[in-house]
Amino acid sequence: MAPRSFWKGYLKLSLVTCPVAMVPATTDNEKVKFHTLNRKTGNRVVSHYVDSVSGKAVEEDDEVKGYQRSEDEYVMLEDDEIEAVGLESTRTIDISMFVPRDSIDWVWYDKPHYLTPDDPVGEEAFSVIRDAMEATGQVGISRLVMYRRERAVMLEPRDRGIVLWTLRYGDEVRDRDAYFGDIKNDKVDSNLMPLVKTLIDERMKPWDPKMVDDPVQDRLLEIIAAKKKGKKRPAKPKESTSEPPSNVVNIMDALKKSIASESKSKKR
């Protein structure tokens, strides 16, 4: 069963408008989650805000957002002051511009959401916008209030629907030149490339979601199931005793040994 949409509104391009529904493309509902309990009573522990100086509990009505100016100085902002700077409409995805799909680097992508038509009558308008973006290789850019903040979003045609990505803010993305700029731009030995490509070919496999399974979560579920039945928890997995790799002196020799090793393992 498909999850219920967490957002409903309108997709708008100039005078073309259609009702749409949106749901996050990812979920953590299946993750193992823990609560903090009182070991003596088995009851859940409740957290409270306390004043950092007096140590006294702070009532909810007295909690307020503060922007730190210096070590002991804050500017207080009320909720209505913060909300006043947001978009007037939070329910319309008005596509204000289009950019080439490959012009937005992956590092700007934040959270993906599935966008679908929410009315059979508006499905044609939705499909026209989707197919036109696909045909031109463009993605739409808009702004939307999501997760209590105004965000730039990117609309990307995908299959019969549209994937809406929230985009990271400009101050969240670090300049890659600050990290990659000092890496030497020397040409790689042409004799090494065929050997590395051979290693890549040996390890090529079709993508499978099982490649990103969480073994830690699986072991946690085993422990929980065992404790429910009153059994002892499973033995702790043995730590790897393999030696850390030594510095490679001769890359050519290392590649040849790697290829030979790969070939032996495939023959077994």
Side-chain angles (χ1 to χ4, degrees):
M1 181 184 293
R4 288 189 300 171
S5 58
F6 88 124
W7 185 95
K8 289 190 176 186
Y10 296 89
L11 176 63
K12 183 174 183 290
L13 174 59
S14 188
L15 300 178
V16 180
T17 305
C18 61
V20 290
M22 181 164 50
V23 66
T26 60
T27 177
D28 61 359
N29 288 345
E30 302 303 316
K31 286 187 177 294
V32 175
K33 298 176 182 177
F34 296 102
H35 296 289
T36 302
L37 308 179
N38 182 336
R39 188 189 300 275
K40 294 179 180 178
T41 65
N43 299 329
R44 285 184 59 181
V45 173
V46 180
S47 59
H48 294 285
Y49 285 110
V50 297
D51 189 292
S52 62
V53 176
S54 69
K56 295 181 179 178
V58 179
E59 298 294 331
E60 187 175 351
D61 289 344
D62 292 328
E63 296 171 12
V64 64
K65 299 286 192 303
Y67 175 80
Q68 189 170 5
R69 293 184 59 186
S70 59
E71 187 175 351
D72 296 313
E73 184 180 2
Y74 296 85
V75 176
M76 295 186 187
L77 291 174
E78 302 294 338
D79 288 343
D80 57 352
E81 293 177 304
I82 296 173
E83 293 171 1
V85 300
L87 289 177
E88 290 183 8
S89 173
T90 62
R91 292 292 165 186
T92 301
I93 305 169
D94 190 353
I95 305 178
S96 58
M97 68 185 79
F98 294 90
V99 300
R101 188 196 302 244
D102 57 3
S103 66
I104 303 179
D105 199 3
W106 64 269
V107 74
W108 293 96
Y109 292 12
D110 185 21
K111 294 181 180 177
H113 305 74
Y114 293 144
L115 193 68
T116 57
D118 195 38
D119 185 329
V121 177
E123 193 167 316
E124 183 179 13
F126 178 93
S127 299
V128 166
I129 295 172
R130 177 203 63 206
D131 291 352
M133 287 194 293
E134 182 67 45
T136 58
Q138 303 289 307
V139 292
I141 302 296
S142 183
R143 298 195 74 84
L144 192 63
V145 174
M146 295 180 67
Y147 308 109
R148 302 192 67 181
R149 293 189 69 181
E150 181 182 327
R151 298 171 179 273
V153 297
M154 182 192 83
L155 291 88
E156 176 186 20
R158 186 67 64 90
D159 300 324
R160 287 177 289 175
I162 292 175
V163 175
L164 181 147
W165 284 88
T166 55
L167 298 176
R168 300 187 191 280
Y169 297 101
D171 58 3
E172 290 180 336
V173 177
R174 289 173 171 162
D175 182 7
R176 72 181 72 184
D177 289 339
Y179 302 89
F180 298 162
D182 292 335
I183 299 175
K184 294 179 181 178
N185 196 25
D186 298 341
K187 285 189 177 181
V188 176
D189 185 346
S190 59
N191 294 319
L192 299 176
M193 289 298 290
L195 298 176
V196 177
K197 287 179 179 178
T198 299
L199 274 178
I200 292 174
D201 290 340
E202 292 280 347
R203 298 190 176 203
M204 282 178 62
K205 293 182 179 179
W207 162 253
D208 187 335
K210 291 181 179 178
M211 293 177 180
V212 289
D213 281 350
D214 185 353
V216 172
Q217 170 138 318
D218 292 340
R219 288 196 288 269
L220 282 172
L221 290 171
E222 287 177 13
I223 293 173
I224 292 168
K227 297 201 85 169
K228 275 185 178 179
K229 296 176 181 178
K231 298 179 180 178
K232 291 183 178 179
R233 63 184 182 185
K236 184 178 179 181
K238 293 182 179 179
E239 294 184 8
S240 174
T241 57
S242 59
E243 293 279 335
S246 58
N247 291 331
V248 177
V249 177
N250 190 308
I251 299 177
M252 180 70 78
D253 289 345
L255 286 171
K256 288 179 179 178
K257 288 179 181 177
S258 296
I259 293 170
S261 176
E262 295 281 333
S263 299
K264 283 182 181 178
S265 62
K266 279 202 167 187
K267 290 177 182 178
R268 289 175 186 171

